[in-house]
Amino acid sequence: MMTNANIKNADELEFAIFCIENVASRLEKNAEEVYHALAEKTNILNSYIIPEYDVLHTQSKDYIVEDIISLMEERGIQL
């Protein structure tokens, strides 16, 4: 079950930025569009990326990006 979590420290903030920038790069979109999709349209940022930080940050960049894009697709988010 996904829970809401706010960014609590610099490591989580850095990871959130890493996720946003790398998803944007993979989708060839700007980071502002991706942030809007992850934080405002769907709340993926605070309901998945931040709560799962401890597990996600140990994965490869490709895994993280594919996981987030897959979740966006499941929720019908198109950029």
Side-chain angles (χ1 to χ4, degrees):
M1 180 176 181
M2 293 185 206
T3 60
N4 275 343
N6 292 318
I7 294 171
K8 296 179 284 303
N9 57 52
D11 290 338
E12 289 180 355
L13 177 59
E14 190 175 298
F15 182 69
I17 293 167
F18 167 86
C19 291
I20 292 164
E21 289 180 345
N22 283 287
V23 168
S25 177
R26 177 76 57 89
L27 297 176
E28 297 181 347
K29 300 292 181 180
N30 72 47
E32 186 176 349
E33 288 178 274
V34 173
Y35 171 78
H36 181 71
L38 295 178
E40 297 170 5
K41 280 186 175 179
T42 63
N43 199 29
I44 290 173
L45 182 65
N46 289 328
S47 68
Y48 178 67
I49 295 171
I50 300 306
E52 299 300 324
Y53 165 76
D54 288 337
V55 174
L56 285 174
H57 88 280
T58 65
Q59 304 299 318
S60 71
K61 177 176 82 171
D62 288 334
Y63 176 88
I64 294 166
V65 169
E66 289 301 321
D67 190 45
I68 293 169
I69 290 172
S70 176
L71 187 54
M72 291 171 69
E73 289 170 352
E74 282 179 26
R75 296 193 182 181
I77 298 303
Q78 296 179 351
L79 296 176

